Amino acid sequence: MSGQIVVHQAGNTVVTDLGRFRGPRYGLPVNGALDQYSARAANILVANEENAPLLELTALDFRMKTTSDILIAVTGAALALTVGGRVCPQWEPISVRAGETVSVRGINGGLRAYLAVHGSLDAPSLLGSCAPDTVVGFGLQLRDGTAVGTRRSVPSVRQPYFDMPLFRLPVEQRHPGRLLRVDVTDGPDLAEFGDSAELLFSSEYTVSPRSNHIGLRLGGALPERTTSGEVLSRGVPVGAVEVPSRQELLVLHRGRGVTAGYPVLAVATSLGLDVLAQARPGDTVRFARTTVAEATAAYRRSMHQLETLRESVTAVFNLLGIGSAAHWQDLPAAACS
């Protein structure tokens, strides 16, 4: 450990990663960052492995100080980011000097933001993941005063000529609006809903404030099951769109249990789940039908974008000599706008 971040205003923040992929075989949810694209991008922007521990901020303001020089990136929902009182951009690496305060305020145009630190963070692990699990009571939920170890110090760096931006990186910034389009594939029980299944694609649904990391609850016109047989408990995927009652739809998210006994009308795609991760109570959701082949192609395009970003970050960081102490001696202090 080279230093610490010390939390002054925790808000609703956890340390997480991409999930506990070994969990389902032991009956545990996969959990992990709900907006996987933004979490991956944050880690890539600071040259971490995609699955490195990082902070997930949900809805509320957050403030911390660092005891050493670090490099951070903040992605996800639109927000106001300041470092040492300076306004800084999202979706690019930002230098933070020891003793400076990092503040995240006014999360909007989405619900969750991700803060990654170059070299990653120290966090407990369960089955190879630091992702919190509310079922077994595991994970690092930050509180005011919590100190989290950072693994690498990066002296401040800035563009020494004309105060031009140092980093111009090819990253797609995703800031969903209040009308969210979510792609879904047909579920295994689609035929059980007869013609009413089309309501899923012709109606608008409103996100309930009772939604959480386990599932999103949506109010609106509900397809009705035409059969009356009991559905036996079985394995269900993350993204399953269920009709558990006459009041709402339920879209299972990454904290879902591994089995359930409700009919599965559709399944949200990986990219659709990223969109739902940013859904705020009161937002409007429209579902769009896609095929497994189309969803796979869209996911591969998204991963290619992130791979292109990693190549650019690697090239820039190598030129800057990040990680080489000799390089930092002649560079001036960092600055944001």
Side-chain angles (χ1 to χ4, degrees):
M1 183 178 74
S2 66
Q4 292 180 322
I5 58 171
V6 181
V7 177
H8 288 193
Q9 183 178 4
N12 184 10
T13 303
V14 298
V15 179
T16 192
D17 52 28
L18 295 183
R20 185 164 294 102
F21 303 109
R22 292 167 55 197
R25 74 183 69 172
Y26 299 106
L28 296 177
V30 66
N31 283 304
L34 265 65
D35 182 348
Q36 296 266 296
Y37 177 87
S38 294
R40 290 176 190 269
N43 267 324
I44 290 172
L45 284 165
V46 293
N48 289 344
E49 294 296 324
E50 292 182 19
N51 201 29
L54 79 170
L55 303 184
E56 181 180 66
L57 290 60
T58 301
L60 303 180
D61 294 346
F62 173 81
R63 185 162 43 90
M64 72 179 194
K65 276 191 177 181
T66 175
T67 65
S68 62
D69 295 341
I70 59 175
L71 195 69
I72 69 169
V74 177
T75 62
L79 49 81
L81 170 66
T82 60
V83 174
R86 305 180 303 276
V87 177
C88 293
Q90 292 179 248
W91 299 87
E92 68 178 58
I94 299 295
S95 285
V96 182
R97 291 176 291 227
E100 287 190 317
T101 296
V102 176
S103 295
V104 172
R105 299 194 178 281
I107 293 176
N108 63 85
L111 189 65
R112 293 178 171 86
Y114 296 86
L115 192 159
V117 178
H118 177 65
S120 192
L121 302 168
D122 290 330
S125 178
L126 174 66
L127 294 178
S129 171
C130 71
D133 190 317
T134 56
V135 174
V136 298
F138 173 83
L140 185 52
Q141 172 86 41
L142 301 189
R143 309 292 182 192
D144 294 358
T146 299
V148 181
T150 56
R151 298 176 181 174
R152 194 171 303 157
S153 179
V154 181
S156 299
V157 59
R158 62 172 282 186
Q159 164 62 259
Y161 302 108
F162 308 113
D163 238 9
M164 296 173 62
L166 178 61
F167 299 100
R168 294 185 182 275
L169 299 170
V171 57
E172 179 187 350
Q173 302 185 24
R174 298 180 179 179
H175 298 306
R178 301 304 299 270
L179 175 59
L180 309 177
R181 181 184 182 276
V182 177
D183 287 341
V184 296
T185 59
D186 290 347
D189 305 314
L190 177 69
E192 294 189 18
F193 291 87
D195 293 340
S196 74
E198 291 304 314
L199 284 173
L200 185 69
F201 308 107
S202 61
S203 305
E204 293 185 348
Y205 295 89
T206 303
V207 179
S208 165
R210 297 196 300 129
S211 301
N212 55 26
H213 68 289
I214 295 174
L216 272 83
R217 298 179 182 274
L218 305 170
L222 300 181
E224 293 190 16
R225 190 168 174 237
T226 58
T227 59
S228 57
E230 183 177 353
V231 178
L232 299 178
S233 291
R234 57 186 172 172
V236 291
V238 174
V241 180
E242 299 181 334
V243 188
S245 71
R246 294 185 178 276
Q247 284 75 44
E248 59 192 5
L249 286 178
L250 177 63
V251 185
L252 299 182
H253 222 307
R254 299 181 64 80
R256 63 77 171 104
V258 296
T259 62
Y262 295 114
V264 177
L265 175 62
V267 180
T269 67
S270 295
L271 301 186
L273 284 169
D274 289 345
V275 173
L276 289 174
Q278 298 295 351
R280 302 176 70 91
D283 282 356
T284 301
V285 173
R286 288 203 65 122
F287 292 100
R289 177 179 271 149
T290 189
T291 66
V292 172
E294 290 169 340
T296 300
Y299 180 77
R300 287 175 175 169
R301 287 193 297 270
S302 181
M303 292 302 99
H304 178 71
Q305 291 172 346
L306 291 178
E307 184 57 33
T308 300
L309 174 63
R310 181 175 291 285
E311 292 171 357
S312 298
V313 168
T314 299
V316 170
F317 279 32
N318 285 342
L319 288 171
L320 291 172
I322 289 181
S324 172
H327 173 79
W328 302 104
Q329 296 176 0
D330 300 322
L331 283 176
C336 303
S337 59

